[in-house]
Amino acid sequence: MSPRRSKHNINLLQLLIAGMLPLLLGLLFTFVESRLMVKRDLESTAQIAMNHAENISTQAWNMVDRLQRFHGQPCNIIGDELQRLGSVFSYFRAIGVIHNTNVYCSSTFGNTLTPMSRVIQQPLPVRYSERWSLSIAGSDNVKERPALIFVQMPLTGYGTYAMVDAQYLIDLMMAISKIRGYQLILQMDNGHPIQTGPAITPRTGLFSTAALEIKSNRFPITLNVTAPASQEITNWKQAFFTFLPLAIILSLLFTMAVWYWQKRKLLFRDEIRKGIANSEFSVYYQPIYDAESRTCTGVETLLRWRRSNGKWIRPDIFISAAEAESMIIPITRHLFDLVASDIARWQVKPGFHLGLNVAAEHLHHPSFVSDVHRFAEKVASHSLSITLELTERNLISNGPEIIQRLHQLREDGFMIAIDDFGTGHCSLSYLQNFPLDCLKIDQGFVSAISSPDEEAPILDAIINLSHRINLQSVAEGVETEQQLMYLQQRGVKYIQGFLYAKPMDNESFLVWLHYNGNKSIESFMKKNEEGKKND
Ligand code: C2E
Ligand code: CA
Ligand code: CA
């Protein structure tokens, strides 16, 4: 595919999502924050008004208690003192002394006997305790302004009362209402609701009214605060515009990161495509030693990439990049072509093993079986025994169709091996479910052997397991004589590793096979030792 085509592969949707994400998250975050802000504000506002109402109540009850010394005394004796107290504490609209349910002496009307119900301009509470308080719409002396009355009044006998002008409360409540546009309603013991601010009808939806009710735990005071929906909108706008510069920076950064990531991906993909087109890939073959026949009875194919500038790229790097960027299937098909043309020059016995590494994505792809068959047909004249090397990872997301596919391939004459056995963090149950022929013991377990007598319990367990379930075993990465002896003593039939032979290009492999293919591994070791001595 040409580089021009790949420009169109820039995913605009991904870029758009990356750009919009911080903005959308910002919208959401500031929306939630605006709700919380209103809630916090309602709480603090209500608390201020409540504290004030509680202070007033405390002072009023102090006055009620102070007046108790006048109990039962005639008005002509206490009247002047009541008037004096009333004017000293201008806070109070009226204070006075009660007999039964009548005020018989007060700071405002002197010794006029007035029923309490008239003082408060409403019937007495149906049930009341000896001490009660009430918010009222008006009193007999000031009818048009609410007040709070605090009364000590036994069913019979003497009592006292103090009445506070609600204006002291209203002033503060109005100040709050004015700043925030909140509605405040204060009620003392189900009395007259004292209200400031606009009447707000509850609204639900995206932006809703918010309401809070608090009760005093010292006095029978209830306070309701309601914020209009507009408060949430104002808060949200404020929060969003504060966050906006950060959101814009984040959205630019995200877009750039995604763009860069896409570009890199395309680059690598294009590089692999170019590499295939320019024949930069080749195949190396690593001989596998058969300890029974004491000859080389097979190879593993390993892909190599040498860039046009002469630089080699490590297989684990380009293979995982190809896997990540959906290039593993084209690259494997290319490998099949390269191997098929290499094999055309081979002269090997029928049944010679050829190991092919299979990537998970390819195994799960519908074309896998036909790809493998096409390859097998090309090399059919050599009657090779082709082994497909799968890693445990390949089998994790297994479905019945993969098992079915592997059964089919085995029936068609392919062998199935588990590569890097023991490193896949897999449960062993797949060994029962999958049709397998061979375990390739990972070199990590082999390298744990430092002498033939030393114990390598996990390796032993793997070898025993393969014997028990009748699978062939291949030890990978065999580098030392000790490792070889250890493995041979335990009946591992196939040996692969630098001790026997390194991976080689086709040319070198053919020469190697010609001279060494029928030699036992011991003769190699002798040769190695002689080589070392001569060095
Ligand atoms: P693998 O399939 O486990 O391949 C064996 C690796 O061990 C090869 O590395 C080989 O060169 C290395 N090796 C063999 N003997 C020894 C030894 O005695 N000592 C040490 N230290 N290493 C030894 P390589 O060629 O670098 O490949 C690395 C991995 O890349 C392979 O691991 C395989 O997973 C992947 N790979 C290579 N070629 C292909 C391919 O054509 N297709 C796929 N899907 N993966 C491939
Ligand atoms: Ca392998
Ligand atoms: Ca391996």
Side-chain angles (χ1 to χ4, degrees):
M1 236 176 264
S2 71
R4 200 191 291 157
R5 165 81 197 274
S6 65
K7 268 188 200 139
H8 298 290
N9 286 350
I10 290 276
N11 190 326
L12 288 177
L13 185 68
Q14 281 179 357
L15 286 180
L16 196 72
I17 292 173
M20 293 303 291
L21 196 68
L23 290 172
L24 291 175
L25 285 178
L27 275 177
L28 189 74
F29 165 74
T30 49
F31 175 73
V32 174
E33 176 59 17
S34 68
R35 284 213 155 169
L36 292 176
M37 271 164 78
V38 172
K39 209 172 149 229
R40 283 196 297 264
D41 202 49
L42 281 181
E43 273 164 11
S44 62
T45 306
Q47 210 49 58
I48 291 171
M50 180 59 89
N51 283 349
H52 192 56
E54 285 181 343
N55 280 343
I56 288 177
S57 303
T58 308
Q59 292 193 40
W61 282 120
N62 285 345
M63 177 56 89
V64 169
D65 291 340
R66 203 170 178 168
L67 296 179
Q68 303 216 345
R69 63 193 159 99
F70 299 138
H71 276 179
Q73 297 192 37
C75 198
N76 53 6
I77 296 178
I78 61 170
D80 289 348
E81 181 60 4
L82 275 181
Q83 262 180 19
R84 195 188 66 77
L85 280 175
S87 53
V88 171
F89 296 97
S90 56
Y91 213 53
F92 297 102
R93 187 185 286 183
I95 52 178
V97 192
I98 305 165
H99 185 229
N100 296 339
T101 54
N102 299 315
V103 175
Y104 75 88
C105 188
S106 73
S107 62
T108 43
F109 293 118
N111 67 350
T112 321
L113 189 71
T114 321
M116 185 45 107
S117 55
R118 215 173 108 198
V119 172
I120 63 174
Q121 300 280 293
Q122 66 178 73
L124 290 177
V126 185
R127 262 197 232 146
Y128 56 85
S129 54
E130 190 178 328
R131 291 167 84 87
W132 52 273
S133 56
L134 200 68
S135 46
I136 54 177
S139 58
D140 58 343
N141 55 344
V142 185
K143 295 198 172 52
E144 68 285 357
R145 258 201 342 257
L148 305 174
I149 187 156
F150 302 84
V151 189
Q152 180 263 325
M153 193 170 94
L155 283 177
T156 54
Y158 291 99
T160 54
Y161 80 96
M163 189 192 294
V164 180
D165 198 311
Q167 196 60 42
Y168 295 102
L169 205 58
I170 291 171
D171 284 347
L172 179 88
M173 287 166 60
M174 287 233 299
I176 295 172
S177 294
K178 210 165 171 187
I179 297 169
R180 295 269 188 252
Y182 292 174
Q183 180 194 54
L184 276 85
I185 302 175
L186 184 136
Q187 245 184 325
M188 195 164 252
D189 205 12
N190 289 325
H192 171 73
I194 299 169
Q195 179 177 334
T196 63
I200 297 175
T201 35
R203 204 176 101 181
T204 49
L206 189 58
F207 293 105
S208 52
T209 50
L212 178 75
E213 181 181 276
I214 60 168
K215 287 183 188 298
S216 163
N217 42 23
R218 290 165 55 207
F219 304 105
I221 309 172
T222 310
L223 190 86
N224 282 284
V225 193
T226 310
S230 61
Q231 186 63 31
E232 235 173 53
I233 301 174
T234 313
N235 283 354
W236 173 72
K237 273 191 199 153
Q238 222 172 24
F240 183 69
F241 285 112
T242 315
F243 178 75
L244 194 60
L246 182 65
I248 291 175
I249 293 172
L250 283 178
S251 111
L252 284 174
L253 285 176
F254 274 39
T255 316
M256 274 164 59
V258 170
W259 182 78
Y260 182 71
W261 171 72
Q262 288 190 359
K263 218 49 201 171
R264 260 192 64 115
K265 241 175 93 158
L266 289 180
L267 270 179
F268 218 113
R269 224 184 278 172
D270 277 349
E271 291 303 316
I272 294 179
R273 283 191 192 117
K274 269 194 250 161
I276 293 176
N278 297 343
S279 307
E280 291 173 8
F281 289 95
S282 62
V283 185
Y284 273 43
Y285 300 90
Q286 184 173 32
I288 297 173
Y289 180 68
D290 180 339
E292 255 169 40
S293 68
R294 298 164 70 82
T295 57
C296 168
T297 54
V299 287
E300 175 176 359
T301 61
L302 295 159
L303 194 58
R304 293 288 178 264
W305 188 6
R306 189 172 186 212
R307 308 294 310 274
S308 49
N309 59 11
K311 229 175 99 187
W312 291 92
I313 306 204
R314 280 183 20 215
D316 46 346
I317 292 181
F318 73 78
I319 293 286
S320 52
E323 281 177 333
E325 287 153 31
S326 308
M327 281 303 287
I328 194 69
I329 298 178
I331 225 176
T332 308
R333 287 182 186 146
H334 183 56
L335 169 108
F336 287 175
D337 291 343
L338 295 172
V339 175
S341 77
D342 284 348
I343 288 178
R345 296 175 50 206
W346 289 11
Q347 284 177 332
V348 288
K349 287 185 192 149
F352 190 80
H353 291 281
L354 181 79
L356 298 170
N357 290 292
V358 172
E361 192 191 337
H362 203 178
L363 175 67
H364 291 82
H365 196 269
S367 78
F368 180 67
V369 175
S370 57
D371 284 350
V372 172
H373 274 285
R374 202 171 309 122
F375 168 75
E377 276 160 29
K378 283 189 198 163
V379 297
S381 60
H382 288 78
S383 307
L384 298 172
S385 161
I386 298 173
T387 303
L388 304 171
E389 297 189 6
L390 316 176
T391 56
E392 290 168 71
R393 208 160 57 81
N394 286 24
L395 308 176
I396 291 175
S397 58
N398 62 74
E401 69 275 18
I402 296 297
I403 300 182
Q404 173 58 33
R405 194 171 286 180
L406 294 179
H407 272 295
Q408 183 60 51
L409 283 164
R410 270 182 99 211
E411 273 170 33
D412 299 341
F414 295 94
M415 302 220 314
I416 314 289
I418 292 292
D419 203 355
D420 305 338
F421 181 76
T423 61
H425 312 290
C426 258
S427 98
L428 290 177
S429 60
Y430 74 85
L431 292 177
Q432 282 179 336
N433 302 335
F434 285 92
L436 301 173
D437 300 282
C438 180
L439 292 187
K440 293 197 78 173
I441 304 166
D442 188 68
Q443 60 190 54
F445 299 110
V446 174
S447 64
I449 311 166
S450 47
S451 84
D453 309 320
E454 204 182 307
E455 291 284 301
I458 299 180
L459 178 65
D460 288 353
I462 294 175
I463 297 170
N464 285 336
L465 179 73
S466 70
H467 290 325
R468 290 284 297 275
I469 55 177
N470 258 339
L471 296 181
Q472 297 287 11
S473 46
V474 182
E476 293 187 296
V478 181
E479 289 180 343
T480 66
E481 218 173 300
Q482 285 86 354
Q483 292 167 350
L484 175 74
M485 281 163 69
Y486 190 102
L487 293 159
Q488 285 191 324
Q489 277 166 14
R490 284 159 182 78
V492 176
K493 190 177 172 202
Y494 295 105
I495 302 291
Q496 182 183 352
F498 294 168
L499 180 71
Y500 183 53
K502 288 197 170 179
M504 293 165 264
D505 62 21
N506 194 39
E507 208 67 43
S508 315
F509 168 64
L510 288 177
V511 174
W512 182 93
L513 191 66
H514 179 77
Y515 289 105
N516 301 316
N518 288 320
K519 288 185 186 158
S520 74
I521 197 161
E522 286 75 16
S523 57
F524 281 89
M525 290 186 314
K526 260 188 228 140
K527 211 169 72 186
N528 285 348
E529 265 165 35
E530 279 160 19
K532 274 182 203 157
K533 271 183 211 152
N534 293 341
D535 286 347

